[in-house]
C-alpha cells in the first residue's frame, strides 16, 4: 500500500502525538495476548493518588517504565502493564473537607487565612453530615476529578492495558482487603490494643511511624523541682514538654545512679496538681540526661508507657485528641497544649519550682500530611505484628529472590526490616476501607468477620456497634501486585502474571509500600510479588536543587511537553537517567532533544520523499523485503561494489548497537541506551550512511528491478526506528506507519525489536569503513586548515599497504564526493612529511594540493599542536601498559591492542618530529 499524503515539512509533535495516543488506547493495543507460548512480562503501575496530577517524578517513573514495557513487548514478550489509582484515604478526605469549607465561604479571598477557615469549617461540616453522606461525597469527587492522572498518562503515551484499570476501593478490591484483614486477625497477626500512637491533632487520627516527619529544632529544656512529700527537699527533673507533667504518675531514676539511691521508693508531690507520686528505679533511665531523674507520663510517651507497665503505675490522660487539656489537667482544662505550656511555666516560676531553662536541640515529629506537631497519645488502635511477617521478607532479599537496584538500597531495606516495629493500621478517618470489626457492648466481645454479623456470637445480643476506623491507605496498597490480578479468586491473570517481573518506585515509598508488598505477597501468595525492584532517582532543577513551590522552580511536565513534544521530554529524561543519580532537568536540555526529534523527522522525510518517487511495483518488492528472515532478522543484500562496504558496515554497527542497548536496558542504564541510539542515529546513520547512499536514492530509477540500496536503506531505517521507539514512541510510530508494509503488525510497538541480529557482525568491514572515514575526515580538515572549504582541490593518498590503497581506489568516487575533491591520486609508499598540505596518519598519508604559498608559521603551529597531542596520548598509553593491574586483569586482546597503539603513536610522533625538523 502506498501512502499518498504529503509528509509535512516541519516536525510538529502537537499534530502527531495526541492522534497516536488516542489511537493506542482506542485500539486496546496494549492488552496482552492469550498466547500461552510466549514468555510474559508484568509490571503493575505504582498507583498514583486520585487526588494527584502528574508531576516530574511521575513523568520520569512512567517514562522509565514505558521504555522497558515497549522494549519487552518488541522482544516478543507478552507484556502486561497494569494501571490503577489509589484512594489515598487521608489526602482525599482533606481535599473533600476543604471543598466543603470553600462551598460554605466561597467569597473568602484565597490565602493562608482562607485555607485554615475552609479546613476548620470543612471538618465541622463533615462531622455534621456523618460518615455515610461524607463518603458519598468523596465518591462523587472521585468520579468528577479522580481521573486526571489517567488522562495525562494516556496523552503521554503510557502503554498500559487500560482495560485492566484498577482502583484500591473498587468492590472486588474491597473484598480482598477484608479477606486479608480477617485472615491476619484469625492468625493473631492483627490485634487491637491501647498503646501510645503518633496522633495528629489537626487530622484527628493516628498515623504510622513512617508518616511522622522528624525535624531538628531548637527547643528548651525546663528543670522543674518536684518536692518530697515529707518536706525534706526535692528532686529536679528536666523536660522538653512541661505541659505533659500534669499526666505524670511517677519520677524514675536509674537503679545504678548513686545520687538517687536514697530517693527510690519515696514519695513526691506533683507540682501544680499536688498529686502524690512515687520515685521508681528503672534501667531505661539514662543518668546522663538532664538531672538523671525523669518524669514518667504513661499516657503521652511511648517509653513512659512501658515503664508504667513494668511498675504498675496508673495512666492519666491530660491532652485530648485536639491537643487541648482534659479535665484531668485541673485548672488548665480547655487550654491548647502550647497555651497550657506557657501558663504552667509561669505558675512554676511564681511558686519557685522552676530551677532553670536551657536551650536544647530536639527532634520534633510532625505530620507528613499537614505539618502539625505530632502528639504521642494513648489510644485504642489496631496493629499489625510485623517481625513474623518481616522475617521471610528479609530472607528473599538476602537470597537474591528479589534483586534491589541500585545495590545500596538493599542494605537500607535490610536494616529497616531488621528493626521493624508493629504497624498501627487504623485511622480515625472516614474515607477508606472500614475495618471489618464489631463490638458487643453487652458482653464486651469484639467480632472480626467477612460479613456483618447478625448477632453477638457470645451473648446473642442484637446490638452490635460497627468499627468506624478505616485502614491506613498503605494496607490496601500492600496487596496491589496480586489483588489487581484477581486475588483471592484464582484467575488466569494471577497464574500468568504473578510474581510480577519488575517494580519501579522512588525511594520515598520503599518502606511505606515496597517492603509491605513483599511481606504481603509472601504471606498470601507464598511467593515474592516481583523479581526486581528498581529505585529511580529524583528529578531536580538545572542546579540540581529540589523542585519546590516555594522556590518557584517546579517544572510542570504537561507544560514542557506541550512546548517541546512528549518525545523530546522523554528522551531528555532517559538520557539523564543514570541509576542512583538525581537528574538535573531544564528547558535547554529538552530543547536539544527536540532538535534530535527534528533530525529524526528530517531524515525520515528525506527517505520517504525519495521512496515515493519509486514506481508502484518497487513498493511491493520493498514491502516483501521488509519481512524479516525468521530467527535472523534483516541482512544486507549486495548491490553496487562501492555500496556493499557501507551496507555491511551499517548492518554490523546496527547489530552492535542493538546488543549494547539490550544490555544497558537490562541493567536500567537508561542513559547509556539513550546515548547509544542518539549517537548511532545522528553520527552514523545520518552523517555517514545516508550521505553515502544519497546519489543512488535520489537518482531517478532506470531499470525494472528494485535497486538493492533501497532494500538496505529501508531495512536499516526500519531497524533504527525500532531501536528508537521505546524512547520516542510517537515520532517513530508516525514515520514507521508511512513505510511500505506487507501484512505487518498494527503498530511499530508490536513489531520485533532485534530486526538486525548478530549474524551480520562484520569487524573487517567496520575496520575498512573506518579507514575510509579517516581519509575523508583528514582531507576535509586539511582543506579547512588551508582555507579551501569552498573549493574542490585535488589530493593524493599514499600508503605502504596496497590492500588499503585498493580499498580507497574502489571507493574513490564516494571519497571524492564526500570530501569534495577534484581528483584523487594513489601512491605506494609514504609521503614526505613537512610538505605543505600533507597530513600523516598511522596507516596512510594524505596530501591536499593547493596553489597558495605555505604559511610556515601556521604549519609549524599546527605541527606543534599535533606533537603535543600525540605525546599526551603516548604517555597515557605507556602509563596504562605500566599498570600491572591492567596487564594482569585485562583480556589479552585488549592488552595487545594497547601495545599496538603505543607503537603506532610512537611512529606517528616520529614523523611529526621529522616534519618539524624539515620545516626548519
Ligand atoms: Zn496532620
Ligand atoms: Zn455480646
Amino acid at each position: 500500500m502506498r501512502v499518498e499524503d504529503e509528509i509535512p515539512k516541519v516536525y510538529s509533535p502537537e499534530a502527531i502525538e495526541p492522534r497516536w495516543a488516542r489511537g493506542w488506547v482506542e485500539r486496546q493495543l496494549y492488552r496482552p495476548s492469550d498466547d500461552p507460548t510466549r514468555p510474559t512480562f508484568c509490571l503493575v503501575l505504582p498507583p498514583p493518588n486520585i487526588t494527584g496530577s502528574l508531576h516530574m517524578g511521575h513523568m520520569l517513573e512512567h517514562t522509565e517504565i514505558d521504555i522497558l514495557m515497549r522494549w519487552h513487548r518488541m522482544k516478543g514478550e507478552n507484556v502486561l502493564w497494569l494501571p490503577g489509582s489509589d484512594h489515598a484515604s487521608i489526602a482525599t478526605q482533606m481535599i473533600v473537607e476543604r471543598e466543603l469549607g470553600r462551598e460554605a465561604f466561597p467569597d473568602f479571598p484565597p490565602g493562608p487565612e482562607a485555607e485554615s477557615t475552609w479546613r476548620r469549617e470543612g471538618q465541622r461540616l463533615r462531622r455534621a453530615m456523618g460518615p455515610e453522606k461524607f463518603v458519598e461525597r468523596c465518591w462523587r469527587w472521585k468520579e468528577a476529578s479522580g481521573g486526571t492522572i489517567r488522562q495525562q498518562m494516556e496523552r503521554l503515551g503510557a502503554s498500559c492495558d487500560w482495560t485492566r484499570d484498577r482502583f484500591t476501593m473498587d468492590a472486588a478490591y474491597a473484598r480482598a482487603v477484608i479477606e486479608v484483614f480477617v485472615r491476619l486477625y484469625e492468625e493473631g497477626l492483627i490485634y487491637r490494643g491501647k498503646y501510645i500512637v503518633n496522633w495528629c491533632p489537626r487530622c484527628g487520627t493516628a498515623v504510622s511511624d513512617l508518616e511522622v516527619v522528624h525535624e531538628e529544632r531548637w527547643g528548651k529544656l525546663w528543670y522543674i523541682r518536684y518536692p518530697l512529700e515529707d518536706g525534706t527537699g526535692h528532686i529536679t527533673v528536666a523536660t522538653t514538654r512541661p505541659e505533659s507533667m500534669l499526666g505524670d504518675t511517677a519520677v524514675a531514676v536509674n537503679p545504678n545512679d548513686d545520687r538517687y539511691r536514697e530517693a527510690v521508693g519515696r514519695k513526691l508531690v506533683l507540682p501544680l496538681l499536688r498529686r502524690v507520686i512515687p520515685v521508681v528505679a528503672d534501667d531505661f533511665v539514662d543518668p546522663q540526661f538532664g538531672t538523671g531523674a525523669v518524669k514518667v507520663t504513661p499516657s503521652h510517651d511511648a517509653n513512659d508507657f512501658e515503664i508504667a507497665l513494668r511498675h504498675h503505675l496508673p495512666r492519666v490522660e491530660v491532652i485530648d485528641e485536639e491537643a487541648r487539656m482534659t479535665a484531668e489537667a485541673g485548672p488548665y482544662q480547655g487550654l491548647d497544649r502550647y497555651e497550657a505550656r506557657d501558663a504552667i511555666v509561669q505558675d512554676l516560676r511564681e511558686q519557685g519550682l522552676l530551677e532553670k531553662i536551657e536551650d536544647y536541640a530536639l527532634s520534633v515529629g510532625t505530620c507528613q500530611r499537614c505539618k502539625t506537631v505530632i502528639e504521642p497519645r494513648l489510644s485504642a488502635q489496631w496493629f499489625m505484628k510485623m517481625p513474623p511477617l518481616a522475617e521471610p521478607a528479609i530472607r528473599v532479599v538476602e537470597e537474591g529472590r528479589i534483586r534491589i537496584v541500585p545495590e545500596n538500597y538493599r542494605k537500607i531495606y535490610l536494616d529497616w526490616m531488621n528493626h521493624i516495629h508493629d504497624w498501627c493500621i487504623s485511622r480515625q478517618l472516614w474515607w477508606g476501607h472500614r475495618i471489618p470489626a464489631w463490638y458487643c457492648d453487652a458482653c464486651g466481645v469484639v467480632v472480626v468477620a467477612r460479613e456483618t454479623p447478625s448477632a453477638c456470637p457470645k451473648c446473642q445480643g442484637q446490638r452490635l456497634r460497627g468499627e468506624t476506623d478505616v485502614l491506613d491507605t498503605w494496607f490496601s496498597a500492600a496487596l496491589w501486585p496480586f489483588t489487581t490480578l484477581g486475588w483471592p479468586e484464582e484467575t488466569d491473570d494471577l497464574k500468568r502474571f504473578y510474581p510480577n517481573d519488575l517494580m519501579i518506585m522512588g525511594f520515598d515509598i520503599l518502606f511505606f509500600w515496597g517492603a509491605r508488598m513483599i511481606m504481603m505477597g509472601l504471606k498470601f501468595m507464598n511467593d515474592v510479588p516481583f523479581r526486581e525492584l528498581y529505585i529511580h532517582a529524583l528529578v531536580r532543577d538545572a542546579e540540581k536543587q529540589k523542585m519546590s513551590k516555594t522556590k518557584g522552580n517546579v517544572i510542570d511536565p504537561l507544560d514542557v511537553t506541550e512546548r517541546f513534544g512528549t518525545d523530546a521530554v522523554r528522551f531528555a529524561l532517559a538520557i539523564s537517567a543514570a541509576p542512583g543519580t538525581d537528574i538535573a532537568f531544564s528547558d535547554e536540555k529538552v530543547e536539544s532533544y527536540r532538535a534530535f526529534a527534528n533530525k529524526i523527522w528530517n531524515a525520515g522525510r528525506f527517505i520517504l520523499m525519495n521512496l515515493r518517487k519509486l514506481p508502484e511495483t518497487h513498493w511491493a518488492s520493498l514491502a516483501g523485503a521488509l519481512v524479516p528472515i525468521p530467527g535472523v532478522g534483516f541482512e544486507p543484500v549486495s548491490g553496487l561494489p562501492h555500496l556493499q562496504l557501507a551496507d555491511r558496515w551499517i548492518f554490523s554497527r546496527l547489530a552492535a548497537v542493538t546488543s549494547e542497548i539490550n544490555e544497558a536496558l537490562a541493567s536500567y542504564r537508561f542513559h547509556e541506551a539513550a546515548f547509544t541510539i542518539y549517537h548511532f542515529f545522528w553520527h552514523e546513520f545520518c552523517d555517514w550512511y545516508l550521505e553515502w547512499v544519497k546519489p543512488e536514492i535520489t537518482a531517478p530509477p532506470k531499470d525494472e528491478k528494485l535497486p538493492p540500496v533501497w532494500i538496505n536503506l529501508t531495512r536499516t531505517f526500519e531497524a533504527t526506528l525500532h531501536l528508537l521507539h521505546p524512547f520516542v514512541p510517537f515520532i517513530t510510530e508516525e514515520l514507521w506507519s508511512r513505510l511500505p508494509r506487507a501484512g505487518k503488525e498494527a503498530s511499530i510497538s508490536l513489531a520485533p525489536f532485534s530486526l538486525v541480529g548478530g549474524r551480520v557482525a562484520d569487524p573487517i568491514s567496520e575496520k575498512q569503513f573506518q579507514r575510509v572515514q579517516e581519509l575523508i575526515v583528514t582531507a576535509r580538515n586539511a582543506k579547512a586548515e588551508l582555507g579551501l572549504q569552498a573549493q574542490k582541490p585535488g589530493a593524493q593518498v599514499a600508503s605502504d599497504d596496497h590492500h588499503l590503497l585498493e580499498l580507497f581506489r574502489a571507493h574513490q568516487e564516494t571519497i571524492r564526493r564526500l570530501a569534495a575533491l577534484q581528483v584523487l591520486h594513489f601512491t605506494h609508499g609514504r609521503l614526505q612529511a613537512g610538505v605543505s598540505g600533507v597530513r600523516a596518519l598511522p596507516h596512510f598519508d594524505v596530501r591536499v594540493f593547493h596553489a597558495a604559498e605555505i604559511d610556515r608559521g601556521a604549519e609549524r603551529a599546527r605541527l606543534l599542536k599535533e606533537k603535543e597531542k600525540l605525546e599526551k596520548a603516548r604517555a597515557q598509553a605507556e602509563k596504562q601498559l605500566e599498570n600491572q593491574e591492567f596487564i594482569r586483569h585485562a583480556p589479552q586482546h585488549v592488552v595487545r591492542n594497547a601495545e599496538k597503539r603505543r607503537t603506532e603513536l610512537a611512529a606517528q610522533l616520529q614523523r611529526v618530529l621529522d616534519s618539524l625538523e624539515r620545516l626548519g
Side-chain angles (χ1 to χ4, degrees):
M1 190 183 63
R2 179 140 175 205
V3 180
E4 290 295 346
D5 44 321
E6 195 65 39
I7 303 143
K9 245 195 191 111
V10 180
Y11 161 61
S12 62
E14 61 279 13
I16 299 172
E17 293 181 353
R19 180 162 43 85
W20 285 115
R22 222 173 22 251
W24 291 334
V25 177
E26 277 166 10
R27 286 150 66 203
Q28 301 187 353
L29 219 53
Y30 302 121
R31 283 184 76 158
S33 87
D34 294 328
D35 180 357
T37 62
R38 284 161 64 194
T40 56
F41 192 87
C42 175
L43 175 145
V44 293
L45 173 77
N49 287 350
I50 48 167
T51 52
S53 68
L54 212 76
H55 57 66
M56 269 333 278
H58 291 119
M59 180 92 193
L60 172 70
E61 187 168 286
H62 299 168
T63 297
E64 290 186 345
I65 294 175
D66 197 47
I67 287 171
L68 294 173
M69 293 300 114
R70 288 179 185 273
W71 174 56
H72 280 282
R73 208 176 278 121
M74 289 167 85
K75 286 200 296 184
E77 289 165 34
N78 202 4
V79 170
L80 171 59
W81 177 4
L82 189 147
S85 50
D86 193 287
H87 66 283
S89 176
I90 193 165
T92 305
Q93 174 152 340
M94 279 177 70
I95 285 188
V96 175
E97 275 177 5
R98 181 183 174 277
E99 278 222 337
L100 290 173
R102 205 164 49 117
E103 279 166 18
F105 293 99
D107 302 325
F108 222 100
E113 203 185 323
E115 288 302 326
S116 71
T117 307
W118 290 337
R119 270 182 178 184
R120 237 188 354 264
E121 184 60 15
Q123 264 184 335
R124 197 187 64 75
L125 288 168
R126 165 173 66 84
R127 291 197 189 101
M129 72 203 292
E132 225 163 277
K133 279 218 168 111
F134 180 75
V135 168
E136 222 173 80
R137 178 72 203 234
C138 291
W139 276 106
R140 279 214 306 279
W141 181 86
K142 189 250 171 195
E143 298 312 327
S145 48
T148 311
I149 285 211
R150 168 165 176 173
Q151 289 155 17
Q152 293 173 335
M153 283 184 72
E154 287 183 359
R155 166 63 189 83
L156 298 181
S159 59
C160 309
D161 176 6
W162 292 108
T163 66
R164 282 177 167 82
D165 196 10
R166 292 300 299 270
F167 176 51
T168 53
M169 262 175 60
D170 63 38
Y173 208 105
R175 273 196 303 280
V177 169
I178 289 176
E179 184 64 30
V180 164
F181 187 96
V182 174
R183 284 198 206 174
L184 289 174
Y185 180 79
E186 285 169 353
E187 280 189 54
L189 289 166
I190 283 179
Y191 60 92
R192 186 177 149 83
K194 221 174 169 187
Y195 296 95
I196 298 286
V197 295
N198 307 298
W199 184 269
C200 175
R202 189 352 248 145
C203 296
T205 179
V207 294
S208 70
D209 292 347
L210 280 173
E211 289 163 283
V212 179
V213 181
H214 293 275
E215 290 175 8
E216 287 300 315
R217 285 189 193 170
W218 277 105
K220 301 247 183 272
L221 199 54
W222 283 273
Y223 287 79
I224 305 166
R225 288 182 179 148
Y226 285 30
L228 285 156
E229 194 191 16
D230 56 15
T232 57
H234 64 264
I235 288 181
T236 303
V237 301
T239 178
T240 58
R241 293 190 300 157
E243 66 280 10
S244 70
M245 71 178 286
L246 304 179
D248 288 358
T249 55
V251 162
V253 297
N254 191 292
N256 300 318
D257 193 335
D258 288 337
R259 293 172 292 178
Y260 297 109
R261 197 145 291 198
E262 289 287 287
V264 176
R266 295 176 71 183
K267 301 270 191 261
L268 299 168
V269 179
L270 180 67
L272 309 176
L273 294 185
R274 310 206 54 78
R275 194 161 61 229
V276 175
I277 58 174
V279 178
V280 298
D282 196 286
D283 284 330
F284 176 81
V285 179
D286 172 12
Q288 308 301 322
F289 175 80
T291 58
V294 297
K295 56 201 268 320
V296 179
T297 324
S299 291
H300 300 284
D301 183 280
N303 297 318
D304 294 2
F305 177 81
E306 298 292 329
I307 294 176
L309 283 182
R310 287 195 285 274
H311 300 273
H312 311 288
L313 299 169
R315 304 171 192 148
V316 179
E317 275 179 60
V318 289
I319 303 171
D320 73 7
E321 15 183 277
E322 288 174 29
R324 292 188 173 275
M325 305 313 284
T326 64
E328 298 277 9
Y332 306 97
Q333 181 185 0
L335 292 183
D336 165 80
R337 56 183 162 171
Y338 298 121
E339 293 166 359
R341 176 178 295 183
D342 292 343
I344 286 166
V345 169
Q346 183 62 28
D347 292 348
L348 288 170
R349 188 176 282 130
E350 279 166 14
Q351 296 178 24
L353 294 174
L354 189 63
E355 194 169 292
K356 60 175 173 172
I357 307 173
E358 281 175 358
D359 288 332
Y360 190 71
L362 71 165
S363 164
V364 176
T366 61
C367 172
Q368 185 199 33
R369 198 54 56 187
C370 73
K371 311 278 178 275
T372 304
V373 173
I374 290 294
E375 191 62 44
R377 207 172 149 259
L378 187 64
S379 166
Q381 302 285 345
W382 294 85
F383 297 86
M384 199 192 286
K385 231 180 241 173
M386 298 308 269
L389 291 164
E391 197 248 337
I394 289 168
R395 221 167 37 231
V396 292
V397 170
E398 279 175 346
E399 287 169 359
R401 286 173 61 201
I402 294 179
R403 193 165 82 96
I404 301 180
V405 184
E407 170 83 18
N408 59 305
Y409 290 113
R410 181 176 177 271
K411 193 179 170 299
I412 297 174
Y413 168 88
L414 290 173
D415 281 352
W416 189 75
M417 290 294 271
N418 279 311
H419 298 98
I420 200 162
H421 297 293
D422 286 1
W423 172 19
C424 174
I425 51 174
S426 46
R427 296 291 177 274
Q428 289 61 56
L429 301 167
W430 289 354
W431 172 244
H433 291 281
R434 186 80 68 88
I435 288 176
W438 290 262
Y439 303 95
C440 174
D441 290 329
C443 72
V445 146
V446 179
V447 190
V448 167
R450 290 170 181 84
E451 310 283 344
T452 309
S454 51
C456 170
K458 192 174 165 200
C459 73
Q460 315 310 323
Q462 302 282 312
R463 292 178 55 105
L464 290 171
R465 189 167 46 83
E467 173 62 276
T468 51
D469 287 0
V470 299
L471 288 164
D472 182 358
T473 301
W474 296 103
F475 184 96
S476 47
L479 321 178
W480 190 243
F482 50 92
T483 301
T484 51
L485 297 172
W487 189 92
E489 311 308 325
E490 285 181 23
T491 59
D492 284 345
D493 269 9
L494 199 59
K495 279 187 215 121
R496 284 160 79 205
F497 298 113
Y498 193 93
N500 309 157
D501 295 85
L502 176 64
M503 172 53 69
I504 295 190
M505 66 175 72
F507 173 66
D508 55 337
I509 55 171
L510 176 60
F511 303 132
F512 277 109
W513 194 44
R516 288 162 179 170
M517 276 191 289
I518 297 175
M519 291 186 260
M520 290 295 118
L522 287 165
K523 179 74 195 164
F524 289 95
M525 292 298 295
N526 216 359
D527 202 346
V528 293
F530 33 75
R531 300 181 201 283
E532 301 218 337
L533 171 58
Y534 177 67
I535 306 287
H536 64 70
L538 298 175
V539 185
R540 294 169 178 263
D541 74 2
E543 275 79 48
K544 283 225 172 184
Q545 301 244 36
K546 216 170 169 173
M547 289 188 189
S548 79
K549 277 188 193 140
T550 42
K551 279 192 210 136
N553 62 350
V554 175
I555 297 177
D556 172 10
L558 291 160
D559 166 66
V560 76
T561 50
E562 218 154 87
R563 284 186 290 132
F564 300 106
T566 308
D567 283 337
V569 181
R570 288 173 59 118
F571 206 87
L573 286 169
I575 207 161
S576 319
T581 313
D582 287 349
I583 293 172
F585 192 82
S586 64
D587 273 12
E588 293 71 45
K589 206 171 217 173
V590 184
E591 218 169 343
S592 65
Y593 296 107
R594 155 87 194 220
F596 180 52
N598 263 327
K599 181 81 183 172
I600 300 172
W601 185 260
N602 292 337
R605 184 169 187 276
F606 173 74
I607 294 166
L608 291 164
M609 294 301 283
N610 284 295
L611 200 57
R612 294 179 67 220
K613 295 183 194 146
L614 295 179
E616 213 61 52
T617 49
H618 285 6
W619 269 68
S621 350
L622 255 186
L626 286 187
V627 178
I629 310 159
V632 174
F634 291 160
E635 290 191 335
V637 294
S638 49
L640 299 169
H642 77 277
L643 285 174
Q644 280 177 34
L645 175 63
D647 293 331
R648 286 198 307 266
W649 167 74
I650 197 77
F651 275 86
S652 183
R653 289 295 305 136
L654 256 174
V657 161
T658 306
S659 80
E660 278 167 42
I661 292 175
N662 277 331
E663 267 174 46
L665 289 182
S667 49
Y668 309 101
R669 299 195 311 272
F670 298 95
H671 64 307
E672 272 180 34
F675 178 80
T676 303
I677 190 59
Y678 177 92
H679 174 72
F680 173 79
F681 183 79
W682 197 306
H683 300 122
E684 299 193 302
F685 181 76
C686 290
D687 285 358
W688 287 97
Y689 187 69
L690 262 190
E691 291 299 323
W692 193 286
V693 303
K694 211 177 225 173
E696 264 69 29
I697 61 165
T698 49
K702 33 185 187 282
D703 54 30
E704 291 300 296
K705 222 173 124 269
L706 172 68
V709 61
W710 268 114
I711 298 176
N712 291 332
L713 174 61
T714 38
R715 281 182 178 178
T716 47
F717 184 56
E718 160 143 47
T720 308
L721 287 179
H722 277 92
L723 297 183
L724 282 163
H725 179 72
F727 306 93
V728 285
F730 294 104
I731 193 170
T732 47
E733 181 82 302
E734 175 71 21
L735 292 172
W736 184 86
S737 74
R738 293 166 179 270
L739 283 175
R741 307 160 77 171
K744 293 195 297 185
E745 282 81 356
S747 157
I748 185 174
S749 58
L750 302 180
F753 183 80
S754 314
L755 289 178
V756 170
R759 212 162 92 170
V760 296
D762 186 346
I764 295 176
S765 294
E766 282 200 40
K767 182 59 88 188
Q768 290 177 339
F769 196 83
Q770 196 190 329
R771 293 281 175 265
V772 177
Q773 284 177 308
E774 279 169 17
L775 174 54
I776 293 167
V777 169
T778 310
R780 281 179 188 161
N781 289 346
K783 279 178 62 187
E785 282 158 11
L786 294 164
L788 301 174
Q789 294 98 315
Q791 295 171 42
K792 274 184 118 182
Q796 180 187 17
V797 56
S799 176
D800 297 327
D801 180 349
H802 77 99
H803 292 294
L804 189 58
L805 282 182
E806 274 316 302
L807 175 74
F808 290 154
R809 207 190 295 273
H811 299 94
Q812 58 175 309
E813 215 178 302
T814 310
I815 294 167
R816 285 210 322 269
R817 175 169 60 85
L818 295 180
L821 299 169
Q822 192 67 49
V823 284
L824 188 58
H825 299 286
F826 301 89
T827 305
H828 192 261
R830 301 303 290 249
L831 294 178
Q832 199 187 32
V835 174
S836 165
V838 171
R839 298 292 178 269
L841 278 89
H843 302 281
F844 59 87
D845 301 321
V846 191
R847 178 176 188 184
V848 173
F849 298 119
H850 62 104
E853 191 48 43
I854 177 169
D855 177 345
R856 296 177 86 89
E859 183 67 3
R860 168 181 295 279
R862 184 187 70 78
L863 283 166
L864 284 172
K865 218 159 112 194
E866 180 79 11
K867 173 174 163 266
E868 198 182 324
K869 204 176 82 193
L870 286 167
E871 279 170 347
K872 221 180 253 166
R874 191 182 58 169
Q876 221 164 25
E878 271 167 1
K879 200 168 148 205
Q880 188 182 38
L881 285 164
E882 278 160 21
N883 181 348
Q884 291 305 313
E885 283 290 296
F886 170 73
I887 301 290
R888 255 199 307 277
H889 299 298
Q892 264 193 8
H893 72 273
V894 173
V895 177
R896 265 204 308 279
N897 278 343
E899 284 166 351
K900 210 170 120 208
R901 181 161 161 72
R902 177 175 58 181
T903 318
E904 280 174 9
L905 285 165
Q908 226 176 324
L909 183 62
Q910 190 51 52
R911 290 185 324 110
V912 168
L913 292 172
D914 292 348
S915 304
L916 274 167
E917 205 180 291
R918 234 172 273 123
L919 206 58

